[in-house]
Amino acid sequence: PLDLHYLAQVKALADRIAPQWISDHLCWTGVNGLNMHDLLPLPYTMQAVEHVVARIQQVQDYLGRQILIENVSSYLNYQQAEMQEWEFLSMVAERADCLILLDVNNIYVSAVNHGFDPLTYIAGVPNERVYQIHLAGHSHRQDYIVDTHDAPIVDAVWALYGETIKRLGRVSTMIERDDHMPELTELLQEVEQAKDIMSEIFVVSTYDA
């Protein structure tokens, strides 16, 4: 069941600081009181859609506002899956009438791990519901990669970010770094690179139009 004590704390904090939005990951983290301390992917089934939609609606009703749900990186697929991840994310967002926090690095990580085209994922998400984008670095583990937030953003993720911006337009973007923190100047260079990509695409798109 939902932790109403925790939700009350979130609501009190939101009422006090008036954040632009509140977000959470589209995942599960434990069962029967056991927390795995990881963001585990959901099975992409209609049963899961109905369950998650009901939970999001409960949270939104309690908070009195829409929330953003964020796609996670994944390292396995469920045999019970009835749809693709982007179809699952889009259906949940539409049915719950919530918004999306699109993690471009997570899309890239999952695309490499599962062998799908990340551009198909981007094209399958409802543009009007994407309110923020996340970028991050990852780590290679032989034949798969892990979303670790402890390395610079790679060229392939920057390229995917550019394609995402072309489709979505100007969307608030945040760079995540959780470990192996470099000098501030290096982090600011990544911020400037994100700004440059957005500015270049926005100017070119305006000129072409």
Side-chain angles (χ1 to χ4, degrees), residues 26 44 69-74 84-90 100-104 106-111 114 116-127 130 160 164 167-168:
L26 185 59
Y44 305 133
I69 54 172
E70 178 179 358
N71 58 295
V72 300
S73 55
S74 63
Q84 299 293 336
E85 181 186 344
W86 52 92
E87 295 172 322
F88 181 80
L89 172 66
S90 301
I100 294 174
L101 195 168
L102 198 64
D103 192 313
V104 171
N106 286 352
I107 293 174
Y108 178 79
V109 167
S110 296
H114 302 306
F116 63 77
D117 183 352
L119 295 179
T120 300
Y121 194 122
I122 300 299
V125 174
N127 295 10
V130 179
L160 184 58
T164 304
R167 180 174 179 81
L168 301 181

Side-chain angles (χ1 to χ4, degrees), residues 42-111:
L42 290 156
Y44 305 133
T45 65
M46 284 305 304
Q47 183 181 14
V49 168
E50 292 168 1
H51 175 76
V52 173
V53 165
R55 302 299 280 271
I56 293 174
Q57 289 173 334
Q58 281 182 273
V59 171
Q60 291 187 143
D61 288 346
Y62 187 89
L63 297 178
R65 61 190 297 162
Q66 285 179 301
I67 65 170
L68 281 64
I69 54 172
E70 178 179 358
N71 58 295
V72 300
S73 55
S74 63
Y75 314 98
L76 57 83
N77 286 316
Y78 293 95
Q79 293 179 349
Q80 297 89 342
E82 300 167 355
M83 64 192 80
Q84 299 293 336
E85 181 186 344
W86 52 92
E87 295 172 322
F88 181 80
L89 172 66
S90 301
M91 190 177 297
V92 167
E94 295 284 0
R95 293 194 177 197
D97 192 23
C98 66
L99 305 171
I100 294 174
L101 195 168
L102 198 64
D103 192 313
V104 171
N105 180 66
N106 286 352
I107 293 174
Y108 178 79
V109 167
S110 296

